[in-house]
Amino acid sequence: MEPLSPRQAQILTVARERGRVQVDSLSEAYEVSVQTIRKDLNELCDRKLLQRIHGGALYPSGASNYAYDSRMVLAEDEKRRIGVRTASLIPDNCAVILNIGTTTEQVAQALRTHQGLMVVTNNLNVANLLRGAENIEVIVAGGIVRSTDGGIVGESAVEFIRQFRVDYAVIGASAIDPDGLILDYDYREVRVSQEIMRQARQTILVADSMKFDRRAPVRIGHLSEIDVFVTDAPLPDSLAAICREHDVAVEICGAPDSVSD
């Protein structure tokens, strides 16, 4: 499937933020004909990313993320445990990239006592968590800053990440399908996450078990591309089978007496 055009990706983002978009206002905003906008909306609807209505399109409820403040408190304890376990897998004196997400922010919090780290991120919240930590060098990607959560997205961020070759990538996701697809909501964010995975020697996926029951429209990758999966509960059978088949190490940090698979 062909990737979304930059304009289509922007339309999708506007629709997610506002809940709906109108043909006439989009035509005026992007200075293109209404026919061009209708074609964009039809393609987005064909991909099940939007739902067509008269004069515009709606963002489906299954394709919308929670607000950042809400995500911060969802599964808060589970995310904290995931952060601590993930940080324990990362040694001192190495280079790490952390992407956008409330779970990766918990990893950053747990990394504050590490020594000799270079941390690259496209997450302003991660940068703020680590900027006062001794013996950690923080490098922030350039690009478009999302006002909703401090995430940095866009092609500039992708190009920036491409300069690095790091020991570990820590990525979060919004949903994990039963077939192992790792998914998110913002196409621009996904492009950065995909580049982060490409530039790492080892990729760690951090996701709480709520993500097993959620849906999101844009593919980051597949569990088979992950080296370690850190979560808070045993995986559903389908995901556990995929991890076994592809030698993905699974770290479960639910109850205090949980053991790693």
Side-chain angles (χ1 to χ4, degrees), residues 159-172:
E159 289 297 324
F160 183 86
I161 295 298
R162 199 167 286 151
Q163 301 177 75
F164 297 90
R165 180 65 172 167
V166 300
D167 302 297
Y168 297 91
V170 179
I171 66 163

Side-chain angles (χ1 to χ4, degrees), residues 125-228:
N125 300 310
V126 165
N128 280 327
L129 284 166
L130 293 176
R131 65 185 175 85
E134 295 184 7
N135 300 310
I136 297 180
E137 179 182 20
V138 182
I139 302 173
V140 182
I144 300 166
V145 180
R146 284 197 313 218
S147 60
T148 53
D149 62 1
I152 301 172
V153 297
E155 288 304 310
S156 295
V158 174
E159 289 297 324
F160 183 86
I161 295 298
R162 199 167 286 151
Q163 301 177 75
F164 297 90
R165 180 65 172 167
V166 300
D167 302 297
Y168 297 91
V170 179
I171 66 163
S174 294
I176 302 172
D177 264 7
D179 61 3
L181 288 180
I182 304 166
L183 303 164
D184 223 311
Y185 294 97
D186 187 337
Y187 175 77
R188 301 170 304 167
E189 175 181 349
V190 165
R191 288 275 290 112
V192 182
S193 295
Q194 289 170 338
E195 194 61 43
I196 287 171
M197 291 173 63
R198 279 191 284 268
Q199 302 308 323
R201 297 181 178 90
Q202 186 171 117
T203 298
I204 303 173
L205 173 65
V206 293
D208 64 82
S209 54
M210 287 182 61
K211 306 299 171 58
F212 306 155
D213 299 317
R214 295 186 67 190
R215 298 292 177 265
V218 191
R219 171 178 174 157
I220 298 174
H222 190 267
L223 272 179
S224 59
E225 303 170 66
I226 300 300
D227 297 290
V228 183

Side-chain angles (χ1 to χ4, degrees), residues 50-77:
L50 295 179
Q51 294 177 350
R52 201 74 161 86
I53 59 172
H54 181 69
L58 294 174
Y59 200 86
S61 60
S64 58
N65 204 357
Y66 296 107
Y68 177 73
D69 289 346
S70 298
R71 285 186 283 129
M72 284 187 69
V73 298
L74 283 172
E76 186 175 7
D77 290 340

Side-chain angles (χ1 to χ4, degrees), residues 19-84:
R20 66 172 60 202
V21 287
Q22 298 292 328
V23 170
D24 289 341
S25 60
L26 290 174
S27 173
E28 182 177 350
Y30 293 103
E31 299 182 344
V32 296
S33 68
V34 294
Q35 289 81 7
T36 297
I37 294 298
R38 288 195 185 106
K39 182 178 178 182
D40 285 335
L41 294 183
N42 287 338
E43 184 170 339
L44 289 168
C45 291
D46 288 342
R47 297 189 186 203
K48 311 298 184 185
L49 300 177
L50 295 179
Q51 294 177 350
R52 201 74 161 86
I53 59 172
H54 181 69
L58 294 174
Y59 200 86
S61 60
S64 58
N65 204 357
Y66 296 107
Y68 177 73
D69 289 346
S70 298
R71 285 186 283 129
M72 284 187 69
V73 298
L74 283 172
E76 186 175 7
D77 290 340
E78 291 85 350
K79 291 175 182 178
R80 187 177 298 111
R81 289 196 293 269
I82 290 169
V84 171

